[in-house]
Amino acid sequence: MQKGLSWYGILLKENLKKRTTWLAVCTMLLLLYTVSGICLPASDNLTVGICAGKSETGRQLMEELQGESSWYRFIEYPEEERLYRDVQSGQLECAFVFSDQLDQKLETGKPDNGVMYLCSPYTTKGEVAKETVFAAFFRLYSGCLLEESGEEIFVQPDKDRKKEIQKKNENFLESDFFRIERILVNTKEETVSRDSGCYPIQGIFGLFLLGFMYFANGRIYETGGKWVSRCFSGSESLLFSVMQILAAVTLPALAGIALLLTLPASRGMTRELIRLVSFVAVGSVWTAICAKPVKSAQAFAANGFILLLMTVLIYPVFQDITLFVPAAEYVRYLTPFFLWI
């Protein structure tokens, strides 16, 4: 053990003297800070904002949306500015702004630009909310559409025919066109609680640490191939590789966790520190063992990039794939990244 600590101290001093180490750490911190300013809507966020403005049709539509049974919760906003802020901050999944001239646009039969749809690039349920809003809109506007179509189809105007068409339209809207029948289904109780949340900040930080740990083994492929790890065999070779990895990951781990604890995305000091120590301790041994069988620099680099790519896909960094492929939850235990997120 004393030998391993001596190697760790020497390797750490060597890494701290390299400009590339500091450049990589600064890049990681800058990226983490930038991503922390991006607000993603929560996966269970079903809140939609509506700004009806001065339009009477917009107010009727707002009442229609709030009165119907829907998965979404529609909230009225008196001002567009606050609506914009809440969409940007991720408090709203999306939003709709009705033009003050919407009534006049509908009367003239030219409803272009009557409704503005607002969403962030990260919305996942905005398209469905859009369909819900426009379905309610066309229920209100269907009478005007039928009246305009009647004038195009029938040459001679007829008040009685117009009343009959409107009456049929009202009967259709009030009818149970779609019959809903709820069927109770017996489901098995889940014994494992699944957290479907994503951790973009922790995920990016963990990817950097995993990259530092894996590619620290690449020094054996340096020009000339005279790296000192070739001088050891058996357990000493593995111990030296682990100390080499720990020396390479120490600075980014300390700098990253210091920044992470100051961000709102932090899961708490105790939880973050325990997960970090577990991830680095197990990950250093795991990456050292995984890098041993590789015989060429090209294969080593390819394996490293594939490892990072699969980590992004399998773990809940930006998207939780287990919502679509439940079996992926068990694949996560193949790498030490599950100890981190």
Side-chain angles (χ1 to χ4, degrees):
M1 189 62 184
Q2 185 65 34
K3 187 185 295 184
L5 293 176
S6 299
W7 289 339
Y8 171 75
I10 296 171
L11 293 167
L12 180 60
K13 290 179 181 179
E14 183 191 17
N15 277 293
L16 294 178
K17 293 178 181 179
K18 293 181 178 179
R19 292 183 179 180
T20 53
T21 301
W22 292 95
L23 180 60
V25 171
C26 291
T27 302
M28 179 190 71
L29 296 177
L30 180 61
L31 183 59
L32 290 177
Y33 184 76
T34 302
V35 174
S36 67
I38 301 175
C39 299
L40 301 176
S43 59
D44 58 349
N45 186 10
L46 295 171
T47 307
V48 178
I50 300 287
C51 183
K54 301 178 182 178
S55 169
E56 183 62 29
T57 304
R59 296 187 179 279
Q60 293 178 5
L61 182 58
M62 183 66 204
E63 295 175 359
E64 177 86 7
L65 291 169
Q66 290 180 330
E68 71 177 11
S69 178
S70 172
W71 289 105
Y72 294 96
R73 185 166 64 97
F74 294 94
I75 300 179
E76 185 174 6
Y77 280 73
E79 301 175 356
E80 288 186 37
E81 185 177 346
R82 184 185 169 193
L83 193 71
Y84 274 98
R85 289 200 304 266
D86 287 354
V87 171
Q88 290 175 340
S89 64
Q91 296 183 36
L92 295 177
E93 178 68 24
C94 59
F96 298 86
V97 179
F98 296 97
S99 171
D100 292 337
Q101 289 77 38
L102 181 59
D103 296 334
Q104 292 84 345
K105 291 177 179 290
L106 296 178
E107 290 177 0
T108 58
K110 297 179 180 180
D112 296 345
N113 301 320
V115 181
M116 181 168 58
Y117 169 62
L118 304 175
C119 68
S120 72
Y122 310 101
T123 182
T124 57
K125 301 174 285 294
E127 290 298 321
V128 181
K130 188 197 299 184
E131 296 296 330
T132 303
V133 171
F134 280 100
F137 172 76
F138 279 111
R139 283 199 298 270
L140 295 176
Y141 189 50
S142 59
C144 298
L145 291 175
L146 287 172
E147 185 174 341
E148 293 176 4
S149 300
E151 294 176 357
E152 295 177 0
I153 297 173
F154 304 101
V155 179
Q156 298 296 331
D158 189 333
K159 293 183 178 180
D160 294 334
R161 182 178 62 237
K162 184 184 297 185
K163 291 181 180 179
E164 185 65 21
I165 292 175
Q166 294 293 349
K167 182 179 179 181
K168 293 289 185 182
N169 180 55
E170 292 175 2
N171 291 337
F172 175 75
L173 294 176
E174 294 175 359
S175 67
D176 295 330
F177 181 72
F178 292 101
R179 181 170 176 267
I180 300 176
E181 182 177 352
R182 300 183 184 274
I183 301 176
L184 297 178
V185 179
N186 293 324
T187 57
K188 296 181 180 180
E189 294 184 359
E190 291 190 3
T191 57
V192 179
S193 177
R194 181 184 301 167
D195 183 5
S196 59
C198 295
Y199 304 92
I201 308 297
Q202 285 85 354
I204 294 174
F205 178 37
L207 286 171
F208 267 96
L209 295 185
L210 185 61
F212 275 109
M213 287 189 286
Y214 180 83
F215 287 104
N217 296 281
R219 297 196 63 179
I220 196 173
Y221 303 107
E222 289 181 350
T223 305
K226 297 180 180 179
W227 180 236
V228 291
S229 64
R230 294 180 182 272
C231 302
F232 305 109
S233 60
S235 59
E236 281 193 342
S237 177
L238 179 60
L239 178 61
F240 184 85
S241 295
V242 172
M243 294 300 108
Q244 173 182 264
I245 293 169
L246 289 176
V249 80
T250 297
L251 179 61
L254 293 177
I257 196 65
L259 175 62
L260 180 59
L261 292 177
T262 64
L263 299 177
S266 173
R267 296 170 293 188
M269 179 181 294
T270 303
R271 185 180 179 187
E272 297 288 11
L273 289 176
I274 292 175
R275 285 181 172 270
L276 178 65
V277 172
S278 303
F279 174 48
V280 171
V282 177
S284 59
V285 179
W286 185 86
T287 52
I289 295 174
C290 290
K292 286 293 182 183
V294 184
K295 301 301 181 182
S296 66
Q298 292 79 6
F300 176 80
N303 290 348
F305 285 117
I306 291 174
L307 172 63
L308 295 178
L309 178 60
M310 294 304 297
T311 301
V312 173
L313 295 177
I314 296 174
Y315 295 90
V317 179
F318 302 108
Q319 178 66 47
D320 188 2
I321 196 175
T322 59
L323 297 175
F324 312 102
V325 186
E329 183 177 1
Y330 304 100
V331 180
R332 291 175 177 174
Y333 294 101
L334 296 178
T335 77
F337 205 79
F338 79 92
L339 295 170
W340 177 236
I341 59 174

